[in-house]
Amino acid sequence: MNTSLTPVLKQRGRASVDFLVHFGRGSQAVRAQGDREIAAAVPDPSSLPDDLDERGRWMEDAMAASRPWRVSQAVGEWHSTMHGLIAREAFEEILPDLQPVITHFQTNGPATLEPAAPDEAAPFYWQGVNFHRTAGGWDDHPLQGYIHGEIVHRRLVEAMFPGGIFLQRRAIAGMPPRDDYARILDMGASTGHFTAALQETYPSAQITGVDLSLRALEHAQRVANAHGWGWRLYQRPAERTGFAEASFDLVASYILLHELPAEAIRAVFAEAFRVLEPGGDMIMSDVTRYADMDKLGVWRADSGARYGGEPHWREAASLDLAEVARQAGFVDVNAVGLGPRAYPHVVQGRRPL
Ligand SMILES: C[S@@+](CC[C@H](N)C(=O)[O-])C[C@H]1O[C@@H](n2cnc3c(N)ncnc32)[C@H](O)[C@@H]1O
């Protein structure tokens, strides 16, 4: 039996996936021209309306006559609508070859997965949302975790993201101050990409992951089993994990928070504080804060999020996460936007002794 979880796409699926990547790259020139026309239409971004909805309408009116901007909007729209479907079709084509290995790693290995109790309802802000415009949200297809983790992330997002999304996860996993964490909680573990970076950085740590998506966690379990990692995975909300106080010495998350409204983010920090042992460390990373961009940058991020299926992004990016961490009780809090675009925004703190 083939024992690799890595997808080997067939010709049709590979061609469609490659087309998506190259279409994205090939349309960079038209996007750059659109950006030049935006800069010409808005020589002074600080003069834009303060209210974000009003700013959005103002910009759409100002750019309506710009053909490159309209084309890049249409390309973005097409990409958002099609990427999930194309990834799914490419997956269906290889499913007969993959099914034995998927089944094998679902059931063989040291990782465990506890689904939510049948009467446990998902939080209101999660229900009925097609995050990332994936039809049906995170859990629609029975193997959505595989499709998302191995095809959308490894084949599409990784190809488009400057610097590499996996290298970035490794860099963030290495930021906490100690190198001897023994009990780590990954909040919003999803298909296990950041969880793997944590495990590789702290090889002897026992890692626990929570996420609302059962499909994503099923794939995390396969990934862990394929590596011989004994992750304990739970379908539970990060703001109400159910773990005892002081269960962990490091609590971490990577790009979870922008999927939550502000109140839920505050609850996540409070929960991280509660489950950390005194002296334990917290690191949360998320999208660039609106406070770190000019008004044009905020408009770009905000409209991208609206069209990209991210209903809570605005609230999350508008928060001062360092302040939220302090309010939750953390000390020695520091926050930094990494790289030239201040992405991701990384907040660290410690539960006092
Ligand atoms: C962008 S993904 C996170 C990526 C992941 N950490 C990684 O490195 O690939 C966001 C994840 O957060 C999960 N999520 C959203 N709200 C949540 C909550 N309240 N509690 C736990 N997980 C949540 C989603 O199901 C999704 O899997």
Side-chain angles (χ1 to χ4, degrees):
M1 181 186 86
N2 165 29
T3 55
S4 170
L5 281 170
T6 305
V8 180
L9 300 181
K10 292 197 188 300
Q11 191 187 3
R12 190 168 173 279
R14 194 175 62 242
S16 305
V17 168
D18 287 350
F19 175 75
L20 262 183
V21 171
H22 292 293
F23 189 46
R25 286 193 185 131
S27 57
Q28 272 163 7
V30 78
R31 274 206 301 280
Q33 180 57 28
D35 283 348
R36 282 190 285 276
E37 297 193 11
I38 289 170
V42 189
D44 174 14
S46 68
S47 66
L48 287 169
D50 287 332
D51 178 78
L52 286 180
D53 291 327
E54 203 185 320
R55 194 183 310 170
R57 287 190 293 274
W58 193 96
M59 287 301 301
E60 289 195 12
D61 285 350
M63 298 313 299
S66 162
R67 192 172 291 183
W69 184 74
R70 291 204 323 265
V71 170
S72 49
Q73 289 294 97
V75 169
E77 176 65 26
W78 184 83
H79 209 277
S80 299
T81 316
M82 295 306 293
H83 79 279
L85 296 172
I86 285 179
R88 185 181 290 197
E89 270 177 24
F91 170 75
E92 299 284 2
E93 222 180 3
I94 56 172
L95 181 55
D97 302 337
L98 270 174
Q99 190 65 68
V101 69
I102 287 179
T103 307
H104 176 76
F105 286 124
Q106 195 70 66
T107 44
N108 292 283
T112 59
L113 169 55
E114 185 186 298
D119 57 351
E120 178 80 31
F124 74 92
Y125 57 81
W126 203 74
Q127 295 179 29
V129 178
N130 293 339
F131 285 102
H132 302 178
R133 309 228 345 223
T134 302
W138 287 110
D139 277 5
D140 182 44
H141 189 284
L143 288 165
Q144 187 64 33
Y146 184 97
I147 298 170
H148 198 77
E150 301 300 329
I151 302 184
V152 173
H153 264 245
R154 282 193 195 282
R155 297 294 293 258
L156 290 170
V157 185
E158 172 68 350
M160 299 301 294
F161 189 82
I165 52 170
F166 294 99
L167 282 176
Q168 189 186 70
R169 286 174 169 90
R170 281 299 289 264
I172 292 166
M175 285 174 73
R178 286 165 41 191
D179 56 12
D180 62 346
Y181 296 106
R183 296 172 298 150
I184 300 178
L185 173 62
D186 181 11
M187 293 177 144
S190 196
T191 55
H193 291 320
F194 184 52
T195 331
L198 288 165
Q199 186 75 81
E200 284 161 2
T201 309
Y202 309 101
S204 53
Q206 168 65 60
I207 303 215
T208 301
V210 292
D211 199 285
L212 289 174
S213 163
L214 185 59
R215 299 292 168 242
L217 288 173
E218 284 167 351
H219 194 59
Q221 184 180 23
R222 290 175 209 123
V223 169
N225 282 340
H227 285 86
W229 292 326
W231 296 350
R232 297 179 191 149
L233 303 166
Y234 297 83
Q235 187 190 17
R236 294 181 185 173
E239 60 271 44
R240 211 166 10 90
T241 63
F243 302 124
E245 261 193 51
S247 295
F248 302 98
D249 52 12
L250 176 66
V251 175
S253 77
Y254 175 86
I255 320 291
L256 156 73
L257 303 176
H258 70 281
E259 296 203 352
L260 281 67
E263 275 321 297
I265 293 174
R266 291 184 207 286
V268 166
F269 276 86
E271 181 70 349
F273 188 87
R274 189 187 71 78
V275 298
L276 267 176
E277 65 185 22
D281 294 308
M282 168 278 293
I283 179 165
M284 308 277 194
S285 52
D286 206 57
V287 299
T288 310
R289 287 190 329 159
Y290 282 0
D292 291 337
M293 305 176 199
D294 70 8
K295 283 181 166 180
L296 256 186
V298 171
W299 165 70
R300 276 204 187 86
D302 203 67
S303 50
R306 195 151 36 95
Y307 289 117
E310 299 281 9
H312 311 304
W313 182 300
R314 178 186 291 186
E315 260 188 73
S318 301
L319 274 183
D320 178 347
L321 293 181
E323 191 48 35
V324 172
R326 283 188 202 98
Q327 283 166 0
F330 287 102
V331 295
D332 295 341
V333 173
N334 68 72
V336 61
L338 299 181
R341 291 171 181 240
Y343 176 88
H345 182 72
V346 182
V347 185
Q348 290 183 262
R350 186 169 49 79
R351 178 171 174 163
L353 286 169

